[in-house]
Every structure is written in C-alpha cells, then in structure tokens.
Amino acid sequence: MFKNITLVSMDLTNFKGVRSLHANFGKVTNVYGDNGAGKTTLFDAFSWLLFDKNSANESSFSLKTNDENGNPIHHLEHRVEAKLEINGIELSLSKTLKEKWVKKRGSSLEEFSGHETKYEVNGVPVTMTEYKSRIQELVDEKAFMLLTNPMQFSMAQGWKERREILLKVLGEVSDQDVINSNPEELEMLTSQLEKHSIDDLLKITKQIKSRLNDDMKIIPERIKEVQLSKIDPIPGKELLKEKKKLQDRIFDINQGLKYRTSLDDQRLSIKQRIYTLEGELLKAKRNATERQETAIAGFKKKWLEESLGLGNLKSDLTACESDYSRNKRQLERIQADLSEKLTQYKNQYTTVFNPSDDYTACPTCGRPYDADHIAHTRDSLEAEFNRKKSQVLTEIKSQGDDLRNREKEALAKDELLRSKIDSLLKAIDEAEQTTAEAKKEYEKAKNIEIPQSEDITKVEEEIKKANEEMSTLTDDGADQSLKDDLKNLNAKIEVIDRELAKSGINDRADKRIQELEEELAEKSEEFVRAQQTEFAVEEFMKAKVRLLESRVNQHFTAVRFKLFEQQINGGLSETCEALVNTNGSLVPFKDANHAGKVNAGLDIINTLTDYYQTSAPIWIDSRGEVNRLTPTKGQIINLYVSNDKKIRIEQEA
C-alpha cells in the first residue's frame, strides 16, 4: 500500500538558537530568511526528531542554544514537536533534550552530570525503544533520508552504496540476458559461464594465452637445439669408395695367395660373390628409403602450406569480425543519438512561452506595474524566449544532420564488412577441408611401411646361400701373413661400417623436429581459440554495460547513470555516477549547477518513491536558484534566501 507522509506543523523550542517557532506546512511551503536565520534549522529539527541526526545525516552536531560568547546556555529544555499525516491519519511526535544537574553530598552547588531525552507519541510519554520502534514502523531511516533530500543519493552516498540501491530497486542483469542481447558473438560462452564467472573466465583465458605464448616461444628454441644436435653429414660416398678399395685389396690378396688349391679358389669366389651381393643389397635398401622420404616430405610440405593459409584466413576473419562489431556498436550509438536528437527537437519545438508572474509586480514592495510596462516586459521575455528556442532548434538540427551522414557511412561499412566476412567464412570452410585432406594424406604416408622389394629379397637369399656354402669349406692352412692382412683390412671395413651407421642420428633428429613442428601448429590453433574466447568475454562485458545502463536509465527522465568506467588497460571497472543533462550534454552530478542537481535529485526521488511506495516531505535548499522543479508526488518545502531577518513561512495555494 502506498504511504503518503506529509508534515502538518512543527514547533521548535531552544533548538540551535531558535528560542520559539511555530510553523505550518502545506502541499508546497516556502520558507524565507536571510543566511543564518534558521531555514536549514527547520530541516535539522525534523531529522533530529525522527533519527537523532541533522539534515546532513550527521549524528554529532550541537543542537543547544548558545550565548553571545558561543557557550551553551544551561538549564534549558530543547524541544521539537511535529504533527504528521500518514494517508490522512494524524500522528504527533515530540522529543525533549534536558540537562541533568545534581548536588553532591556536602556541596551547595549543582554539577552537570549529563543529558536525558524524553519522548512522546500523540501526547503519550513513551520509552526510547518504543519511540524508535514507532518511527521504524513509519519509515526506514535510510529510505527516508533518500526521499527527503535531493542531494542525499548522489552526494552523501558512496558509489558502492548508490550502485547497491539502484540494482536492488531496478534489478540485476543475468548472464543469459547479456548472451540473448548478442547471441551470434556470445552464445559460445554459455557452457563456460555455467562453470565460471565472467571475471574468472577472462582470467583463465588470459592465463591460457600466456602459457601458450610461452610455449610457442620455447618450441622454436627446442627445434634449434635439436638442429644443433645433428652431426656433420657423413661422407657416405667417400666411405663407400674407401670400402670398395679395401674390398678390392682383399680380393687381390686372395688372388695372390701362393697356394691355389681348389678350396681356396672356391672360397675366394664365394667371398667375391658375397661382397658384390652386399653392395647391391645396400644400394637397393638406400634407394627404397630415399623414395619413401621424398614422398613423405612432399605430403608434409603440402599440409604445412595449407595450414599456414588456413591460419591467415582465420586471422583475417577475426580482424574483420572485430571491425564489424566495432562498426555495429558505433552504428547503434549513432542511431541512439539520432533518436535522442529527434526527441530533443520535438520537445523543444513544442515548448511554449509560459512565464511566471514575477514581472507583473515590484519584488520589493509588491505594487503591481502598469499595463504598458507589463506588456513591454512580456514582449521582451517572449522575444528572448523565441530567439533562444530558434537557436537551440538550429543547433539540434545541425547535430542531427551530422549524425545522419555518419549513420549512412556506418551502414555502408556494415554491408561491406558482412560481405567480406561471408567470403572469408566460405574460404575458411574450403581451406579446412583441403588442410584436413592434406594432413590425412601426410599421416597415411608416414605410417606406410616400405614393402620388401623382390630384388632385395632375392639378394638376401643369395647372400644367405653363399654364406652357407662358405661354411662348408674348411681352411687348409693358408699363409698366416696374408691372413693377418686380410684381418686388418676387414677391421678397417668394420670401422667404415660404424661410421656409416651414424647417419641414424640425423634421422632421429629430423623425426623429433617434425614432432615439435606439429606441436607448434596445434598450440597455434589453440591460441587462436583462446583469442576468440577472450574477444567474446570482452564483448560480453561491454554488452552487459549497455544492457545494465539501459535498464537503469529507462526509469529516469532528467538523470542518467554511468555504471562502468573504461580503464587504461582496456578493461571495465564498476562505478555508479549520476549524470545530469546540461545544455544537451551529460555532466557528472557534482559538476552540475544547483538547479541541475536539484531536478536530477527529484528525478531520483520519484523512482525511489515508486520503489519504497512512500512519499515524504522534500526539503529543497537555495530554492531561488531553481526556475522550475521536476514534478513529484511528495510534499515540497522550499528554502529561499531573502532579506528577512526572521523566518517567514508561506504556503502556496
């Protein structure tokens, strides 16, 4: 149920220098007085009566009446009594602060021993607990402060408390609301936001990018280390030539043996045949290996070229999508600004000349001016009004024309970028298929074992038969010197064979380099995915800003709220700052003039009034600086600075 609280009357006795004052209040009440006459004292008394604080929400303040030297006058009662109406039902409240003086035994003088406060509700004495309970039933203290002072919300509250109140009143924005506002770019975050908050997800993504970036720096160094581990190329051809010479010498020695028995001839013949067959076998195996390595290298080169092209296309797409998103946001801002300018133009165009009656009478004595003077003054005011109105309309139209030109440029850019994105998506789809096929062919080529060719098998069988035939022959006592020479020559051939075997070191190094290059390609793809997630998170945060500020600001007319600030590092930090429309531009509440602050505060009070379902007396200080007030549901008490030495109170009809 809506609660309408109005102040009917108030009586002050010895309160902050006011010895005695009775004040009646209406729907709109004007309080006049010189500086220091006690206008704000009325508001202080009202706040103290309810909450033991002054109008600035301070509990430590002096309410006693002082003498000419600034010292409190003792033995006085400081009393405030007020009559309120709550939905037409009258409620009387009073509070009295008294000093306590006692005489100690043996002394004729009284000594000050503290204070005591007495409370009454509807003329009935009550305890402090009962009194505060009755006030709490009437209205919450924090809500009451916000509803009675236009400056309270934006000047006396910290930004965190302001933000908490706004979100409590108007509602928070859920992650799903943000995703639904831009599903094309943010849908990918749905499953991840089920596990992590948006802030944690951004931290995790940045950590992944940092780790991958470190890995992609380390892997090339590892490849370089493996490259350095490779040995100088083995002079295979020279070693084979040397081996052939040694084999020829062995052959010559065997030919030059002094004994020519049939056994020696057979052994020599068999050995020569074995040497020849071993040379043929080595050559056949080397040719087969070279053919396979050549084929694999071709497949690998094709796959790496396709992967590089795909990566370039994806990078182009990311950059193009980023340009598209920025242009789209710019277009939305331009269109919003254009709509706002149209509204401003319509509002300004329909504004009519409606002056107050201040110019019809002398402000000092109240004597009405003659009709000619009034007509002349009205014509001057109306001419000045029309001049300013025309000037504002011209300025708004110029701004609107500029916004339309920018909108046209943004729409053209939007169409160009969408066309480019479609082309890139099609090219990426084709490149992904081509890359996948190239990688599949490469993997297939790596895993194919070289089939044993018939010529290799045939040569191996012939070598085996020759060795078996050799084993059947027995030595009949060849010359020992020749045998020693043969032994030395065979030892040299073994050394050459070991050198030839070292070529496997380089083969293993090449295999490891290939593995590292594949790992680098995988991490590059993972890094691109992390970049895409990071971009989506940043877009999410910006979308939340737009959605939350839009949801909050639609509840206000004269004020807008900035709920986030752009940081130097590109991130966003929470805040809550009221912005006041001053001559077509938004300025922070603290930088606005007094009239702007008052009307912005009344706009905020209107929204809070609807939320708390309560209207209360609104005290407006320095009312003379405000030409027009934003309409409100609550009672208005205007404090005017005038030449009156004593407070003068008038109720408007």
Coordinates of all heavy atoms in Angstrom, one line a residue, residues 178-179 181-182 185-189 192-193 197-207 209 318 321-323 325-326 329 333 529-547 564-573:
V178 N 22.5 -11.1 -21.0 CA 23.5 -10.5 -21.8 C 23.8 -11.3 -23.1 O 23.9 -10.8 -24.2 CB 24.8 -10.4 -21.0 CG1 26.0 -9.8 -21.8 CG2 24.6 -9.6 -19.7
I179 N 23.8 -12.6 -22.9 CA 24.0 -13.5 -24.1 C 22.9 -13.3 -25.1 O 23.1 -13.3 -26.3 CB 24.1 -15.0 -23.6 CG1 25.4 -15.2 -22.8 CG2 24.1 -15.9 -24.8 CD1 25.6 -16.5 -22.2
S181 N 21.2 -10.8 -25.7 CA 21.3 -9.5 -26.4 C 22.2 -9.5 -27.6 O 22.1 -8.7 -28.5 CB 21.9 -8.4 -25.4 OG 23.2 -8.6 -25.1
N182 N 23.1 -10.5 -27.7 CA 24.0 -10.6 -28.9 C 24.4 -12.1 -29.0 O 25.6 -12.5 -28.8 CB 25.3 -9.8 -28.7 CG 26.1 -9.7 -29.9 OD1 25.8 -10.3 -31.0 ND2 27.2 -9.0 -29.9
E185 N 27.6 -13.6 -31.2 CA 29.0 -13.5 -30.7 C 29.2 -14.1 -29.3 O 30.3 -14.5 -28.9 CB 29.5 -12.0 -30.7 CG 29.6 -11.4 -32.0 CD 30.1 -10.0 -32.0 OE1 30.3 -9.5 -30.9 OE2 30.3 -9.4 -33.0
L186 N 28.1 -14.2 -28.5 CA 28.2 -14.6 -27.1 C 27.7 -16.0 -26.8 O 27.9 -16.4 -25.7 CB 27.5 -13.5 -26.2 CG 27.9 -12.1 -26.4 CD1 27.1 -11.2 -25.5 CD2 29.4 -11.9 -26.2
E187 N 27.0 -16.6 -27.7 CA 26.5 -18.0 -27.4 C 27.5 -19.0 -27.0 O 27.3 -19.9 -26.2 CB 25.7 -18.5 -28.7 CG 24.9 -19.8 -28.4 CD 23.7 -19.5 -27.5 OE1 23.2 -18.4 -27.5 OE2 23.4 -20.5 -26.7
M188 N 28.7 -18.8 -27.6 CA 29.8 -19.7 -27.3 C 30.2 -19.7 -25.8 O 30.9 -20.6 -25.3 CB 31.1 -19.3 -28.1 CG 31.6 -18.0 -27.8 SD 33.1 -17.6 -28.8 CE 34.3 -18.8 -28.1
L189 N 29.8 -18.7 -25.1 CA 30.2 -18.6 -23.6 C 29.2 -19.3 -22.7 O 29.5 -19.4 -21.5 CB 30.3 -17.1 -23.2 CG 31.3 -16.2 -24.0 CD1 31.2 -14.8 -23.5 CD2 32.7 -16.8 -23.7
Q192 N 30.6 -22.3 -20.7 CA 31.7 -21.9 -19.9 C 31.2 -21.1 -18.7 O 31.8 -21.2 -17.6 CB 32.7 -21.1 -20.7 CG 33.3 -21.9 -21.8 CD 34.4 -21.1 -22.6 OE1 35.4 -20.8 -22.1 NE2 34.1 -20.8 -23.8
L193 N 30.2 -20.3 -18.9 CA 29.7 -19.5 -17.8 C 28.9 -20.3 -16.8 O 28.5 -19.8 -15.7 CB 28.8 -18.3 -18.3 CG 29.5 -17.2 -19.1 CD1 28.6 -16.2 -19.6 CD2 30.6 -16.6 -18.1
S197 N 32.5 -17.6 -13.4 CA 32.0 -16.3 -13.6 C 32.7 -15.6 -14.7 O 33.8 -16.1 -15.2 CB 32.3 -15.4 -12.3 OG 33.6 -15.2 -12.1
I198 N 32.2 -14.5 -15.3 CA 32.8 -13.9 -16.4 C 34.2 -13.4 -16.1 O 35.1 -13.4 -16.9 CB 31.8 -12.8 -17.0 CG1 32.3 -12.3 -18.4 CG2 31.8 -11.6 -16.0 CD1 32.1 -13.4 -19.4
D199 N 34.4 -12.9 -14.8 CA 35.7 -12.4 -14.5 C 36.7 -13.5 -14.4 O 37.8 -13.4 -14.9 CB 35.6 -11.6 -13.1 CG 34.8 -10.3 -13.2 OD1 34.8 -9.7 -14.3 OD2 34.2 -9.9 -12.2
D200 N 36.3 -14.7 -13.8 CA 37.2 -15.8 -13.7 C 37.5 -16.4 -15.1 O 38.6 -16.8 -15.3 CB 36.6 -16.9 -12.8 CG 36.5 -16.5 -11.4 OD1 37.3 -15.6 -11.0 OD2 35.8 -17.1 -10.6
L201 N 36.5 -16.4 -16.0 CA 36.7 -16.9 -17.3 C 37.7 -16.0 -18.1 O 38.6 -16.5 -18.8 CB 35.4 -16.9 -18.1 CG 35.4 -17.5 -19.5 CD1 36.0 -18.9 -19.6 CD2 34.1 -17.4 -20.2
L202 N 37.7 -14.7 -17.9 CA 38.6 -13.8 -18.5 C 40.0 -14.1 -18.0 O 41.0 -14.1 -18.7 CB 38.2 -12.4 -18.3 CG 39.1 -11.3 -18.9 CD1 39.2 -11.5 -20.4 CD2 38.7 -9.9 -18.6
K203 N 40.1 -14.3 -16.6 CA 41.4 -14.6 -16.0 C 42.0 -15.9 -16.6 O 43.2 -16.0 -16.9 CB 41.3 -14.6 -14.5 CG 41.0 -13.3 -13.9 CD 40.8 -13.4 -12.4 CE 40.4 -12.1 -11.7 NZ 40.2 -12.3 -10.3
I204 N 41.1 -16.9 -16.7 CA 41.6 -18.2 -17.1 C 42.0 -18.1 -18.6 O 43.1 -18.7 -19.0 CB 40.4 -19.3 -17.0 CG1 40.1 -19.5 -15.5 CG2 40.7 -20.6 -17.7 CD1 38.8 -20.3 -15.3
T205 N 41.3 -17.4 -19.4 CA 41.6 -17.3 -20.8 C 42.9 -16.6 -21.0 O 43.8 -17.0 -21.8 CB 40.5 -16.5 -21.6 OG1 39.2 -17.2 -21.4 CG2 40.8 -16.5 -23.1
K206 N 43.1 -15.5 -20.2 CA 44.4 -14.8 -20.3 C 45.6 -15.6 -19.9 O 46.7 -15.6 -20.4 CB 44.3 -13.5 -19.5 CG 43.5 -12.4 -20.1 CD 43.5 -11.1 -19.3 CE 42.7 -10.0 -19.9 NZ 43.2 -9.6 -21.2
Q207 N 45.3 -16.5 -18.9 CA 46.4 -17.4 -18.4 C 46.7 -18.4 -19.4 O 47.9 -18.7 -19.7 CB 45.9 -18.1 -17.1 CG 46.9 -18.9 -16.4 CD 46.4 -19.6 -15.1 OE1 45.3 -19.9 -15.0 NE2 47.3 -19.7 -14.1
K209 N 46.3 -18.1 -22.7 CA 47.0 -17.4 -23.8 C 48.5 -17.1 -23.4 O 49.4 -17.3 -24.2 CB 46.4 -16.0 -24.0 CG 45.1 -16.1 -24.9 CD 44.6 -14.7 -25.2 CE 45.7 -13.9 -26.0 NZ 45.2 -12.5 -26.2
T318 N 39.1 -12.9 -37.9 CA 39.0 -12.3 -36.6 C 39.1 -10.8 -36.6 O 38.3 -10.1 -36.0 CB 40.1 -12.9 -35.7 OG1 40.0 -14.3 -35.6 CG2 40.0 -12.3 -34.3
E321 N 35.8 -9.5 -38.2 CA 34.7 -9.6 -37.3 C 34.8 -8.5 -36.2 O 33.8 -7.9 -35.8 CB 34.6 -11.0 -36.7 CG 34.1 -12.0 -37.6 CD 34.2 -13.4 -37.0 OE1 34.9 -13.6 -36.1 OE2 33.4 -14.3 -37.5
S322 N 36.0 -8.3 -35.8 CA 36.3 -7.2 -34.8 C 35.9 -5.8 -35.3 O 35.2 -5.0 -34.7 CB 37.7 -7.2 -34.3 OG 37.9 -6.2 -33.4
D323 N 36.3 -5.6 -36.6 CA 35.9 -4.3 -37.3 C 34.4 -4.2 -37.4 O 33.8 -3.1 -37.2 CB 36.5 -4.2 -38.7 CG 38.0 -4.0 -38.6 OD1 38.5 -3.6 -37.5 OD2 38.7 -4.3 -39.6
S325 N 32.1 -5.7 -35.5 CA 31.4 -5.5 -34.2 C 31.6 -4.0 -33.8 O 30.7 -3.4 -33.3 CB 32.1 -6.4 -33.1 OG 31.8 -7.7 -33.5
R326 N 32.8 -3.5 -34.0 CA 33.0 -2.1 -33.6 C 32.1 -1.1 -34.4 O 31.5 -0.2 -33.9 CB 34.5 -1.7 -33.8 CG 35.4 -2.2 -32.7 CD 36.8 -1.5 -32.8 NE 37.5 -1.8 -34.0 CZ 38.3 -2.9 -34.2 NH1 38.5 -3.7 -33.1 NH2 38.9 -3.1 -35.3
R329 N 28.5 -1.4 -33.2 CA 28.3 -0.7 -31.9 C 28.3 0.8 -32.2 O 27.5 1.6 -31.6 CB 29.4 -1.0 -30.9 CG 29.3 -2.4 -30.4 CD 30.3 -2.6 -29.2 NE 31.6 -2.4 -29.5 CZ 32.4 -3.3 -30.0 NH1 32.0 -4.5 -30.1 NH2 33.7 -3.1 -30.3
R333 N 25.2 3.3 -31.5 CA 25.3 4.6 -30.8 C 24.8 5.8 -31.6 O 24.1 6.7 -31.1 CB 26.8 4.8 -30.3 CG 27.2 3.8 -29.2 CD 28.6 4.3 -28.6 NE 29.6 4.3 -29.6 CZ 30.4 3.3 -29.8 NH1 30.3 2.2 -29.1 NH2 31.4 3.3 -30.7
R529 N 41.9 -20.1 -30.7 CA 40.6 -20.3 -30.0 C 40.5 -19.5 -28.7 O 39.5 -19.0 -28.3 CB 40.5 -21.8 -29.7 CG 40.2 -22.7 -30.9 CD 39.7 -24.1 -30.5 NE 40.7 -24.8 -29.8 CZ 41.7 -25.6 -30.3 NH1 41.7 -25.7 -31.7 NH2 42.5 -26.3 -29.6
A530 N 41.7 -19.4 -28.0 CA 41.7 -18.6 -26.8 C 41.5 -17.1 -27.1 O 40.8 -16.4 -26.3 CB 43.0 -18.8 -26.0
Q531 N 42.0 -16.7 -28.2 CA 41.8 -15.3 -28.6 C 40.3 -15.0 -28.9 O 39.8 -14.0 -28.5 CB 42.6 -15.0 -29.9 CG 44.1 -14.6 -29.6 CD 44.8 -14.2 -30.9 OE1 44.6 -14.8 -31.9 NE2 45.6 -13.2 -30.8
Q532 N 39.7 -16.0 -29.5 CA 38.3 -15.9 -29.8 C 37.4 -15.8 -28.5 O 36.5 -15.0 -28.4 CB 37.8 -17.0 -30.7 CG 38.4 -17.0 -32.1 CD 38.1 -18.3 -32.9 OE1 37.7 -19.3 -32.3 NE2 38.3 -18.2 -34.2
T533 N 37.8 -16.7 -27.5 CA 37.1 -16.7 -26.3 C 37.3 -15.3 -25.5 O 36.4 -14.7 -25.0 CB 37.6 -17.8 -25.4 OG1 37.4 -19.1 -26.0 CG2 36.9 -17.8 -24.0
E534 N 38.6 -14.8 -25.6 CA 38.9 -13.6 -24.9 C 38.0 -12.4 -25.6 O 37.5 -11.6 -24.9 CB 40.3 -13.3 -25.0 CG 40.7 -12.0 -24.3 CD 42.2 -11.7 -24.4 OE1 42.8 -12.1 -25.5 OE2 42.8 -11.0 -23.6
F535 N 38.0 -12.4 -26.9 CA 37.2 -11.4 -27.6 C 35.7 -11.5 -27.2 O 35.1 -10.5 -26.9 CB 37.3 -11.6 -29.1 CG 36.5 -10.7 -29.9 CD1 36.9 -9.4 -30.1 CD2 35.3 -11.1 -30.4 CE1 36.1 -8.5 -30.9 CE2 34.5 -10.2 -31.2 CZ 34.9 -8.9 -31.4
A536 N 35.2 -12.7 -27.1 CA 33.8 -12.9 -26.7 C 33.5 -12.4 -25.3 O 32.5 -11.8 -25.0 CB 33.4 -14.4 -26.9
V537 N 34.5 -12.7 -24.4 CA 34.4 -12.2 -23.0 C 34.3 -10.7 -22.9 O 33.5 -10.1 -22.2 CB 35.5 -12.8 -22.1 CG1 35.5 -12.1 -20.7 CG2 35.3 -14.3 -21.9
E538 N 35.2 -10.1 -23.7 CA 35.3 -8.6 -23.7 C 34.0 -8.0 -24.3 O 33.4 -7.0 -23.8 CB 36.5 -8.1 -24.5 CG 37.8 -8.4 -23.8 CD 39.0 -8.1 -24.6 OE1 38.9 -7.8 -25.8 OE2 40.1 -8.1 -24.1
E539 N 33.5 -8.7 -25.3 CA 32.2 -8.3 -25.9 C 31.0 -8.5 -24.9 O 30.1 -7.7 -24.8 CB 31.9 -9.0 -27.2 CG 32.8 -8.6 -28.4 CD 32.6 -7.2 -28.7 OE1 31.5 -6.7 -28.9 OE2 33.6 -6.5 -28.8
F540 N 31.1 -9.6 -24.1 CA 30.1 -9.8 -23.1 C 30.1 -8.7 -22.1 O 29.0 -8.2 -21.7 CB 30.4 -11.2 -22.4 CG 29.5 -11.5 -21.3 CD1 28.4 -12.4 -21.5 CD2 29.6 -11.0 -20.0 CE1 27.5 -12.8 -20.5 CE2 28.8 -11.3 -19.0 CZ 27.7 -12.2 -19.2
M541 N 31.3 -8.3 -21.6 CA 31.3 -7.3 -20.6 C 30.8 -5.9 -21.1 O 30.1 -5.2 -20.4 CB 32.8 -7.1 -20.1 CG 33.3 -8.4 -19.4 SD 35.1 -8.3 -19.0 CE 35.0 -7.1 -17.7
K542 N 31.1 -5.6 -22.4 CA 30.6 -4.4 -23.0 C 29.1 -4.5 -23.2 O 28.4 -3.5 -23.0 CB 31.3 -4.1 -24.3 CG 32.8 -3.9 -24.2 CD 33.5 -3.8 -25.6 CE 35.0 -3.6 -25.4 NZ 35.7 -3.5 -26.7
A543 N 28.6 -5.6 -23.6 CA 27.1 -5.8 -23.8 C 26.4 -5.7 -22.4 O 25.3 -5.1 -22.3 CB 26.8 -7.2 -24.4
K544 N 27.0 -6.2 -21.3 CA 26.4 -6.1 -20.0 C 26.4 -4.6 -19.6 O 25.4 -4.2 -19.0 CB 27.3 -6.9 -19.0 CG 26.6 -6.9 -17.6 CD 27.4 -7.8 -16.7 CE 26.7 -7.8 -15.3 NZ 27.3 -8.7 -14.4
V545 N 27.4 -3.8 -19.9 CA 27.4 -2.4 -19.6 C 26.2 -1.7 -20.3 O 25.4 -1.0 -19.7 CB 28.7 -1.7 -20.1 CG1 28.6 -0.2 -20.0 CG2 29.9 -2.2 -19.3
R546 N 26.1 -2.0 -21.6 CA 25.0 -1.4 -22.4 C 23.6 -1.8 -21.8 O 22.7 -0.9 -21.6 CB 25.1 -1.7 -23.9 CG 26.3 -1.2 -24.6 CD 26.2 -1.3 -26.1 NE 26.1 -2.7 -26.5 CZ 27.2 -3.5 -26.7 NH1 28.4 -2.9 -26.7 NH2 27.0 -4.7 -27.1
L547 N 23.5 -3.1 -21.5 CA 22.2 -3.6 -21.1 C 21.8 -3.1 -19.7 O 20.7 -2.7 -19.5 CB 22.2 -5.1 -21.1 CG 20.9 -5.9 -21.0 CD1 20.0 -5.5 -22.1 CD2 21.1 -7.4 -21.0
F564 N 29.8 1.9 -15.3 CA 31.1 1.3 -15.6 C 32.0 2.4 -16.1 O 31.6 3.4 -16.7 CB 31.0 0.2 -16.6 CG 30.2 -1.0 -16.1 CD1 28.8 -1.0 -16.3 CD2 30.8 -2.1 -15.5 CE1 28.1 -2.1 -15.9 CE2 30.1 -3.1 -15.1 CZ 28.7 -3.2 -15.2
E565 N 33.3 2.2 -15.8 CA 34.4 3.1 -16.3 C 35.4 2.4 -17.1 O 35.8 1.3 -16.8 CB 35.1 3.9 -15.2 CG 34.2 5.0 -14.6 CD 35.0 5.8 -13.5 OE1 35.9 5.1 -12.9 OE2 34.7 6.9 -13.3
Q566 N 35.8 2.9 -18.3 CA 36.8 2.3 -19.1 C 38.2 2.5 -18.4 O 38.6 3.7 -18.1 CB 36.8 3.0 -20.5 CG 37.7 2.2 -21.5 CD 37.1 1.0 -22.0 OE1 35.8 0.9 -22.0 NE2 37.8 0.0 -22.4
Q567 N 39.0 1.5 -18.3 CA 40.3 1.6 -17.7 C 41.4 1.7 -18.7 O 41.1 1.5 -19.9 CB 40.6 0.3 -16.8 CG 39.7 0.2 -15.6 CD 39.9 -1.1 -14.8 OE1 40.0 -2.2 -15.4 NE2 40.1 -0.9 -13.5
I568 N 42.6 2.1 -18.3 CA 43.7 2.4 -19.2 C 44.0 1.1 -20.0 O 44.4 1.1 -21.2 CB 44.9 2.9 -18.5 CG1 44.5 4.3 -17.9 CG2 46.1 3.0 -19.4 CD1 45.7 4.9 -17.1
N569 N 43.9 -0.1 -19.3 CA 44.3 -1.4 -19.9 C 43.2 -1.9 -20.8 O 43.3 -3.1 -21.2 CB 44.7 -2.4 -18.8 CG 43.5 -2.7 -17.8 OD1 42.4 -2.2 -18.0 ND2 43.8 -3.5 -16.8
G570 N 42.1 -1.2 -21.0 CA 41.0 -1.7 -21.8 C 39.9 -2.4 -21.1 O 38.9 -2.6 -21.7
G571 N 40.1 -2.7 -19.8 CA 39.1 -3.3 -19.0 C 38.0 -2.4 -18.5 O 38.0 -1.2 -18.8
L572 N 37.1 -2.9 -17.7 CA 36.0 -2.1 -17.2 C 36.0 -2.2 -15.7 O 36.2 -3.3 -15.1 CB 34.6 -2.6 -17.8 CG 34.4 -2.4 -19.3 CD1 33.2 -3.1 -19.7 CD2 34.4 -0.9 -19.7
S573 N 35.7 -1.1 -15.0 CA 35.6 -1.1 -13.5 C 34.2 -0.6 -13.2 O 33.7 0.3 -13.8 CB 36.7 -0.3 -12.9 OG 36.6 1.0 -13.2

